[in-house]
Amino acid sequence: MTTALITGSTAGIGAAFARRLAADGHNLVLVARDTKRLGEQATELHDRHGIEAEVLTADLSTDEGIDPVAARLSDRKNPVDLLINNAGFGNKGHYLEVSMADELTMLKVHCEAVLRLTSAATEAMRERGRGGVVNVASVAAFVPRGTYGASKAWVVQFTQGAARDLAGSGVRLMALAPGFVRTEFHQRAGMGTDNIPNWMWLDADKLVAAALADLARGKSLSIPDPRYKALMGLVKVAPRGLLGGITSKTGRKYGPQ
């Protein structure tokens, strides 16, 4: 049985990955900040699917949180075959309305933690000649829209670049760029969602199924829904200046209030 490590596993996309991978027979290492929720999740997945589920409480906004997760990924005796870098969050407010401390925390979680954990995992995977990494980004990566979008753009660029460098090693890397997903993300950030049209929402379980299929196909970028694929196609051909104005207005309409 293979082992998958999932950060931010207790809710949203991370929980959907945990459900799907456990159902497929993978043992799990579940990583999040809430020890109680981790324990409940591990027990439920073990009882339902008969898999082994380790729990690792870690705050990836700190070195003290990143270090033990990186060490677990580097463990050659108990190898991790699939890493899902899912942990992340949003800040409510426009640029200069969000404190510098909160901006830097976002970069720590979205960029530094992703870099360090991906590096720890892929180094061990390359030695074995097999393994996979999914780094969860966002369609916000493709539009000029604040620190969140910028950090997710870094995730996409880093992942695709690393995928090219590791081509032929047996290690697959893929950036996952979903749109709006019904999770705790917006609630935790204090963002309202009533103004977001129903057609823009994605189902987390369907998203995960599409992402895993794209990973199996060897894709380095997954936009797991035809609606968002079409939108991102339009983004590619839109003038940058026009796009900036549109995304700014869209962000005020559909983003934090």
Side-chain angles (χ1 to χ4, degrees):
M1 296 176 71
T2 58
T3 298
L5 186 148
I6 307 166
T7 69
S9 70
T10 55
I13 295 173
F17 268 111
R19 289 192 297 271
R20 171 58 187 267
L21 292 169
D24 287 347
H26 297 272
N27 291 328
L28 301 176
V29 182
L30 305 171
V31 180
R33 293 179 297 174
D34 191 323
T35 303
K36 183 175 182 292
R37 289 183 73 176
L38 280 171
E40 292 171 349
Q41 182 184 33
T43 299
E44 179 185 356
L45 293 173
H46 168 75
D47 291 349
R48 178 171 296 182
H49 301 291
I51 54 95
E52 297 301 319
E54 302 174 44
V55 299
L56 183 51
T57 304
D59 181 351
L60 298 182
S61 70
T62 68
D63 289 332
E64 294 78 13
I66 297 172
D67 289 344
V69 184
R72 178 64 184 85
L73 290 165
S74 299
D75 188 346
R76 269 57 170 181
K77 294 182 179 179
N78 298 291
V80 170
D81 305 279
L82 176 64
L83 166 63
I84 310 294
N85 268 318
N86 166 73
F89 65 96
N91 286 320
K92 182 179 180 180
H94 299 291
Y95 176 59
L96 296 183
E97 295 176 355
V98 178
S99 72
M100 183 57 62
D102 287 343
E103 296 276 44
L104 291 173
T105 297
M106 176 176 286
L107 294 178
K108 185 86 170 182
V109 175
H110 290 182
C111 300
E112 182 179 338
V114 168
L115 171 62
R116 292 177 60 186
L117 299 186
T118 299
S119 299
T122 53
E123 185 176 3
M125 291 172 182
R126 184 172 61 176
E127 291 175 6
R128 298 192 302 274
R130 65 184 185 279
V133 176
V134 176
N135 290 328
V136 179
S138 167
V139 292
F142 306 111
V143 294
R145 184 65 189 158
T147 305
Y148 180 83
S151 68
K152 293 303 187 179
W154 182 90
V155 171
V156 172
Q157 292 294 321
F158 162 68
T159 304
Q160 292 196 291
R164 285 191 293 270
D165 287 345
L166 291 174
S169 69
V171 182
R172 294 178 178 180
L173 292 94
M174 185 184 78
L176 171 60
F180 289 108
V181 185
R182 294 195 183 279
T183 69
E184 297 177 6
F185 177 91
H186 295 87
Q187 181 182 357
R188 287 180 174 179
M191 302 177 188
T193 59
D194 292 343
N195 58 335
I196 300 174
N198 285 332
W199 70 266
M200 297 185 75
W201 289 105
L202 303 179
D203 177 80
D205 293 310
K206 292 179 180 178
L207 181 155
V208 164
L212 291 173
D214 283 345
L215 180 66
R217 295 186 187 104
K219 291 189 176 183
S220 64
L221 174 64
S222 173
I223 302 175
D225 185 87
R227 292 165 290 182
Y228 282 98
K229 283 186 174 73
L231 286 174
M232 293 307 101
L234 293 175
V235 164
K236 288 181 179 179
V237 299
R240 195 70 175 175
L242 175 63
L243 183 61
I246 292 173
T247 55
S248 179
K249 292 177 182 178
T250 302
R252 285 194 292 272
K253 183 175 182 181
Y254 297 139
Q257 299 301 304

